[in-house]
């Protein structure tokens, strides 16, 4: 059933709205996934006339990788849904005026604004009397920069909304391949018996980006890779890999299990940051054969900064399933390639009846490619065909490419999935406040540890795989990072 609601995008003339939200809404419209009477309201300060607003929206929609093409007919019907509302979202009077124009349907308020104005916006909504039990609120990161500041923002939301009305976005959870982690683990019988410390040696999670921080340097400099990527995206991936079977396939059951993983993360503090984390900052180098500036040489950059653009962490989950199985996480900007993947490294076979280099038998791996070339590869040992006296072995991957396996299916963008779920009232792919509190607590420990021990980022060349010490983090445990295979 299609849910009848209106979607108000506050900050509706901003970058995120044009680049991600309107293209996603257009796709949902085209697939008939919005109720006929659903209106989409771009709530802005009046930077654009209605015509310019629509023109800009179409330009960005056509540029979206997920939309592929915009046809005049469906654009015309999509435009009929669009309203452009000029006003001040922190003014109760303007919010009332908006509601009058929109009518009595349920409203989804999507705050595509800096969190610093969440408080006055929510207050204005409360004063205007537009919030009922079925009103929903969508908020984007960054939700704080520490546990304390997250609590302040969250308490602000709770003054007007209840948990069941709040949808905190982590766009990684909307990615097809990330949702598939649940299917992979819980809809196949052959992983579960091996999915524990008896058979898994360690797990690697890499989210590498080739872009730099340029363009949003000031925001990024206050944040850094740990807060910008690990606190949310990477930790959510860890939770999906490590969590237990949820009692039911329902939002709170899944979120309860994720929370347990976050709560079992071994704290990393001043006594262990040095052995468990590596910070890096990119220096001038070349990416895709193009020279690129270093982090502090970017446009608008300060000449000196101790913000990390790369971080590698040895995380440990202290529970029965994962005790002794490190989860190595790394993410960085201006790295050699853009890719995200999870590697499950299995332990070597115990009884080596074949007389070959023992290391060669240490190669069972499950590689889950989240982006690009989305797919799954199971690496296993095989006999090389031939008449040699000894049995020659080779590691060969059983490769599942989603693009080939599902060639008749369009892969929707993360924002399509997430917006649709908000209209359906499904909170499964959104973060609950206790998950975020736990994540901040873990991350705060590292930040305090870095400050206390003055652990500064090491320079790494743009276009490389991060600082050398990131290699050392695994080498000292007798392991190595998985190389990217294009
Ligand atoms: C955002 C971060 O949440 O995720 C950005 O703030 C980062 O710094 C982006 O570039 C990465 O998302 P994706 O979908 O391109 O991997």
């Amino acid at each position: 059933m299609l849910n009848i609601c209106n979607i108000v995008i506050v900050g509706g003339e901003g970058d995120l709205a044009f680049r991600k939200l309107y293209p996603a809404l257009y796709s949902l419209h085209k697939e008939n996934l919005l109720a006929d009477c659903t209106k989409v309201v771009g709530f802005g300060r009046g930077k654009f006339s209605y015509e310019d607003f629509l023109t800009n929206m179409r330009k960005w929609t056509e540029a979206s990788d997920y939309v592929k093409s915009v046809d005049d007919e469906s654009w015309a019907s999509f435009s009929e849904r669009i309203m452009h509302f000029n006003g001040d979202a922190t003014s109760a009077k303007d919010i009332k005026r908006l509601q009058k124009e929109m009518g009595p349907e349920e409203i989804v308020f999507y705050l595509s604004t800096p969190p610093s104005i969440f408080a006055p916006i929510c207050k204005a909504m409360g004063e205007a009397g537009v919030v009922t039990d079925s009103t929903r609120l969508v908020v984007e990161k960054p939700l704080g920069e520490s546990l304390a500041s997250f609590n302040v923002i969250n308490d602000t939301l709770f003054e007007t909304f209840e948990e069941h009305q709040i949808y905190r976005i982590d766009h990684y959870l909307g990615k097809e391949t990330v949702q598939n982690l649940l299917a992979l683990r819980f809809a196949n019988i052959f992983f579960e018996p091996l999915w524990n410390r008896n058979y898994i040696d360690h797990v690697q999670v890499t989210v590498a980006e080739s872009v730099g921080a340029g363009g949003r340097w000031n925001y990024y400099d206050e944040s850094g890779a740990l807060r910008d990527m690990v606190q949310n995206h990477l930790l959510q991936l860890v939770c999906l890999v490590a969590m237990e079977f949820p009692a039911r396939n329902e939002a709170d059951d899944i979120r309860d299990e994720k929370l347990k993983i976050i709560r079992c993360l071994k704290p990393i503090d001043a006594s262990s940051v040095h052995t468990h984390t590596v910070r890096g900052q990119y220096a001038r180098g070349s990416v895709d054969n193009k020279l690129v500036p270093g982090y502090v040489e970017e446009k608008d950059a300060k000449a000196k900064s101790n913000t990390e653009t790369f971080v590698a962490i040895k995380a440990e989950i202290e529970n029965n399933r994962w005790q002794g199985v490190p989860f190595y996480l790394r993410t960085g900007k201006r790295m050699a390639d853009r890719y995200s993947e999870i590697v499950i490294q299995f332990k070597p076979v115990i009884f080596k009846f074949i007389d070959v280099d023992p290391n060669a038998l240490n190669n069972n791996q499950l590689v889950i490619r989240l982006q690009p070339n989305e797919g799954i590869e199971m690496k296993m040992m095989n006999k090389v065909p031939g008449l040699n006296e000894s049995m020659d072995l080779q590691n060969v991957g059983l490769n599942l490419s989603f693009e080939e396996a599902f060639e008749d299916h369009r892969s929707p963008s993360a924002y399509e999935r997430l917006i649709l779920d908000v209209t359906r009232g499904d909170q499964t792919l959104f973060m609950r406040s206790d998950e975020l509190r736990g994540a901040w607590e873990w991350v705060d420990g590292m930040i305090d540890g870095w400050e206390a021990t003055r652990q500064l980022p090491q320079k790494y060349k743009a276009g490389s795989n991060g600082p050398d010490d990131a290699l050392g983090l695994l080498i000292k445990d007798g392991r190595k990072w998985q190389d990217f295979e294009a």
Side-chain angles (χ1 to χ4, degrees):
M1 198 183 77
L2 300 178
N3 205 316
I4 300 173
C5 57
N6 290 320
I7 303 168
V8 177
I9 300 184
V10 182
E13 294 175 335
D15 203 46
L16 177 76
F18 282 122
R19 283 193 311 120
K20 304 280 186 190
L21 308 185
Y22 300 129
L25 283 158
Y26 170 74
S27 296
L28 292 176
H29 165 81
K30 219 176 147 182
E31 305 233 341
N32 288 323
L33 290 168
L34 298 177
D36 287 347
C37 56
T38 290
K39 292 264 176 257
V40 174
V41 185
F43 190 131
R45 295 279 194 156
K47 207 158 69 187
F48 296 97
S49 67
Y50 180 66
E51 286 67 35
D52 290 348
F53 176 66
L54 270 184
T55 309
N56 218 21
M57 193 185 279
R58 179 159 184 166
K59 184 185 94 188
W60 280 104
T61 304
E62 281 170 350
S64 158
D65 287 344
Y66 290 94
V67 172
K68 305 261 190 300
S69 71
V70 171
D71 65 87
D72 287 343
E73 200 184 320
S74 55
W75 186 260
S77 53
F78 179 60
S79 322
E80 283 171 19
R81 295 182 183 278
I82 306 291
M83 284 168 60
H84 182 223
F85 186 87
N86 290 341
D88 173 2
T90 63
S91 142
K93 213 168 103 217
D94 284 1
I95 303 257
K96 251 197 177 125
R97 192 161 57 84
L98 167 80
Q99 195 196 27
K100 239 190 191 153
E101 281 194 30
M102 285 178 28
E105 275 82 24
E106 288 174 15
I107 304 181
V108 169
F109 284 103
Y110 193 124
L111 302 193
S112 173
T113 64
S116 52
I117 55 170
F118 286 177
I121 295 176
C122 290
K123 193 159 170 262
M125 288 174 187
E127 280 171 15
V130 297
V131 180
T132 68
D133 195 47
S134 48
T135 309
R136 292 165 210 168
L137 182 78
V138 186
V139 285
E140 279 279 346
K141 69 184 265 280
L143 293 176
E145 66 224 13
S146 62
L147 176 60
S149 54
F150 167 74
N151 282 336
V152 171
I153 295 174
N154 212 38
D155 289 350
T156 295
L157 306 183
F158 280 152
E159 278 169 24
T160 316
F161 294 91
E162 290 178 24
E163 183 68 47
H164 75 92
Q165 299 173 280
I166 304 174
Y167 292 73
R168 299 177 193 81
I169 290 217
D170 180 322
H171 78 280
Y172 264 59
L173 292 179
K175 289 180 191 266
E176 280 290 327
T177 41
V178 174
Q179 292 166 59
N180 193 45
L181 285 171
L182 291 179
L184 189 72
R185 287 199 52 206
F186 301 135
N188 293 297
I189 196 163
F190 46 80
F191 291 122
E192 178 54 20
L194 304 180
W195 211 258
N196 58 55
R197 65 190 155 90
N198 296 328
Y199 296 98
I200 293 179
D201 178 75
H202 72 276
V203 175
Q204 298 183 13
V205 179
T206 299
V207 177
E209 298 187 273
S210 51
V211 292
R216 54 208 278 270
W217 200 92
N218 286 314
Y219 153 74
Y220 193 85
D221 200 52
E222 293 290 311
S223 164
L226 180 61
R227 293 182 173 103
D228 185 47
M229 297 294 287
V230 177
Q231 186 272 344
N232 35 73
H233 309 324
L234 276 85
L235 270 190
Q236 287 292 323
L237 296 178
V238 169
C239 287
L240 294 174
V241 170
M243 68 191 241
E244 297 299 320
F245 273 59
R248 277 166 303 177
N249 187 7
E250 282 178 18
D252 273 335
D253 294 286
I254 293 177
R255 299 190 297 177
D256 286 348
E257 295 306 332
K258 288 197 292 168
L259 177 65
K260 285 186 202 158
I261 294 299
I262 293 172
R263 293 170 72 96
C264 288
L265 285 168
K266 185 172 178 183
I268 301 178
D269 57 18
S271 66
S272 50
V273 267
H274 197 65
T275 49
H276 283 62
T277 70
V278 175
R279 303 176 74 198
Q281 187 186 85
Y282 64 85
R284 193 182 304 182
S286 95
V287 175
D288 291 334
N289 295 323
K290 258 180 56 196
L291 287 175
V292 294
Y295 177 67
V296 289
E297 298 162 333
E298 296 276 12
K299 192 166 165 280
D300 299 331
K302 289 193 221 123
K304 196 169 174 338
S305 163
N306 289 331
T307 299
E308 80 286 348
T309 61
F310 172 98
V311 65
I313 300 168
K314 176 179 173 180
E316 290 161 292
I317 300 171
E318 298 190 296
N319 69 9
N320 194 43
R321 190 188 281 263
W322 297 113
Q323 192 70 40
V325 180
F327 279 61
Y328 297 101
L329 319 179
R330 65 176 166 169
T331 182
K333 300 229 179 262
R334 283 287 188 232
M335 297 187 56
D337 300 283
R338 173 184 185 257
Y339 73 102
S340 304
E341 72 180 20
I342 298 170
V343 177
I344 313 290
Q345 173 69 58
F346 290 92
K347 290 189 171 174
V349 290
I350 298 161
F351 177 62
K352 301 182 179 72
F353 88 101
I354 303 169
D355 185 22
V356 288
D357 170 8
N359 291 326
L361 286 169
N362 189 10
N363 275 327
N364 282 160
Q365 268 182 348
L366 178 70
V367 180
I368 304 166
R369 294 188 305 265
L370 305 176
Q371 62 188 27
N373 311 325
E374 291 80 355
I376 292 165
E377 191 172 356
M378 186 76 219
K379 296 198 175 170
M380 57 184 87
M381 302 307 289
N382 289 271
K383 176 185 178 300
V384 180
L387 300 173
N388 284 357
E389 196 179 334
S390 66
M391 187 187 285
D392 294 337
L393 296 180
Q394 193 178 320
N395 191 274
V396 185
L398 205 60
N399 214 337
L400 166 71
S401 149
F402 291 159
E403 200 180 357
E404 286 167 21
F406 300 105
E407 57 183 351
D408 298 335
H409 293 257
R410 186 181 71 88
S411 211
S413 72
Y415 279 94
E416 283 173 58
R417 156 61 59 197
L418 296 173
I419 294 174
L420 185 62
D421 282 0
V422 178
T423 68
R424 286 173 172 157
D426 182 349
Q427 289 185 308
T428 307
L429 300 177
F430 297 85
M431 294 179 295
R432 215 168 49 190
S433 46
D434 46 9
E435 286 180 74
L436 276 164
R437 267 200 293 274
W440 275 123
E441 207 174 309
W442 190 64
V443 159
D444 277 359
M446 270 178 270
I447 294 172
D448 293 347
W450 286 342
E451 269 169 28
T453 60
R454 299 206 169 77
Q455 186 175 328
L456 296 176
Q458 299 160 17
K459 294 281 180 202
Y460 63 97
K461 232 175 146 180
S464 70
N465 287 323
D468 290 344
D469 278 6
L471 302 179
L473 189 69
L474 270 71
I475 290 173
K476 63 178 187 249
D477 291 347
R479 302 179 172 115
K480 74 187 242 314
W481 291 105
Q482 171 80 2
D483 291 332
F484 174 59
E485 291 164 15

